[in-house]
Amino acid sequence: MTARIVLLVTSPRLPAGLLTSAAWDAVRSAPVLAGAESELTRAVRMAGAEVSVVTEGTTQALLDAAATHGGAVWLAGPAGDETLARELGLRLAREPGLAELELMYGSWDPPGARLLDAVEVMDRLASPGGDPWKRAQTHRTLAGFLLEECYEAYDAISADDTDALREELGDVLLQVLLHARLAENLPDGKSWTVDDVAGTLVDKMVRRNPHVFSGEPAGSIEEIEANWERIKRAEKTRESVLDGIALSQPALSLAAKVLDRAGRVGLAVPPPLAESQVDPEARLGASLLATVAAARQAGIDPEAALRRATLAYAEAIRAAERTTPNHPT
C-alpha cells in the first residue's frame, strides 16, 4: 500500500482545537510533524497525538515518516506552507511510488475572518511601538477624515465603480477601527472596544428585524419600514420627532430630513416666508427651504438634484476651458 502524506491546513483565526472529524482521524492515525510550536501543536498533543517539530530537511523527514509508518501528517503554519507543498509535490511527481500527497482542510475561515486581521493590525498600529500619528489622534481630530472617506465612498457609488467602492469602504472601516481602538484608552467607565461596537450593531439588527429573527410575518416593504420605525421609537425616549437627526450633515439634506420627519407625523408647520425676513441671508435661507419643501412635495431628492446640476455645470466649465485660447490654469 502506498504511503499517504497529509498536508493539514487550518484557519489561524479559529481556536486551534476546532478541527473536522477527518482531521482528528488523520492526526491520531499517523506521525504528526510541524515546522514550529504553536497553539495547534499543543492542542494536538493534548488530544493524545505525538507531534515532532522539524526545522530542516522537512520534505525528507515527511517521506521517512511516511515510509516507516505508512503515513504522515504535516501541520501547516498560518500561511499554509506553500513552499513545502510545492517542493513535496515536485519530489513525488518525479518519484510517484514514494507516497501519495493529500491536501486536507481541517478548518476554514468563517465569513468576515479578515476583519479579525484588520482589528489585530489596527491594535498593533495604535499600541506602544506602533504608528505615532495614529496614537496621537483623538475622536475629534479624526472626525473630518471619517466624513471625507464617506464622501469618497459616495462618489464611487455615484460613478457605479464597484472596485473603487470596495477600496473606499475599506477606508471607512479603517476609521471605524481606529475610533474603536482609541476608545479603549478612555477612562474607566467610559472606554469601549470594537467588540462593543459590533455587539451593539448585532443586537440592533436582530431587534429591528423580527420578521427575520423572531418569525413575525414579513409583510410589504412599507410595513417592514413602519415596524422598524416603531421599534426604533420604543428603543429611544425622544422629546421630539426631530431628535436623532444628524445636524452636521449638509444643509440641503438637513432641510429635507427635517421636513420629512415633520411630514411623517402630520405636522403642518409652514416654513418661513422669504419676504418676511429682515436680512439677505435669512431671506435666502427661507427661499432655499421653500425650494426643498417643493422638491419634497414633488418626490425629488434636493441634494441629488443640486449635485447633478452642479456636476453638469462643472463639466460645462471644463469644456469652456478647453475651447478658450490661452486660458490660465
Side-chain angles (χ1 to χ4, degrees), residues 179-252:
H179 276 283
R181 179 59 184 82
L182 294 176
E184 294 183 31
N185 301 328
L186 294 174
D188 290 344
K190 293 185 177 181
S191 63
W192 40 269
T193 70
V194 69
D195 285 320
D196 296 317
V197 174
T200 300
L201 174 61
V202 169
D203 292 343
K204 181 186 297 184
M205 288 192 297
V206 171
R207 191 169 56 248
R208 294 188 184 178
N209 291 278
H211 58 289
V212 177
F213 298 102
S214 299
E216 291 189 10
S220 65
I221 297 296
E222 291 75 16
E223 290 172 334
I224 292 174
E225 290 177 344
N227 198 36
W228 174 285
E229 291 297 332
R230 178 187 61 77
I231 295 171
K232 186 176 179 179
R233 287 194 299 271
E235 290 173 354
K236 299 181 178 181
T237 302
R238 288 176 170 170
E239 298 179 355
S240 170
V241 68
L242 302 182
D243 289 349
I245 292 178
L247 301 180
S248 58
Q249 63 184 296
L252 199 62

Side-chain angles (χ1 to χ4, degrees), residues 112-176:
R114 295 311 302 271
L115 290 173
L116 300 177
D117 294 342
V119 171
E120 182 178 355
V121 168
M122 181 55 69
D123 180 65
R124 181 173 178 182
L125 288 170
S127 295
D131 178 22
W133 185 88
K134 290 181 176 59
R135 288 175 49 77
Q137 300 311 303
T138 66
H139 296 306
R140 284 188 176 273
T141 62
L142 290 172
F145 294 106
L146 179 57
L147 279 177
E148 181 180 355
E149 300 300 353
C150 289
Y151 282 134
E152 291 181 4
Y154 188 102
D155 285 344
I157 293 172
S158 298
D160 291 324
D161 190 339
T162 55
D163 288 337
L165 178 59
R166 180 185 65 243
E167 180 178 353
E168 299 302 342
L169 289 177
D171 291 339
V172 173
L173 177 61
L174 183 152
Q175 294 299 314
V176 173

Side-chain angles (χ1 to χ4, degrees), residues 244-267:
I245 292 178
L247 301 180
S248 58
Q249 63 184 296
L252 199 62
S253 57
L254 173 61
K257 179 65 72 173
V258 168
L259 290 166
D260 179 67
R261 287 283 185 91
R264 287 187 193 182
V265 294
L267 287 175

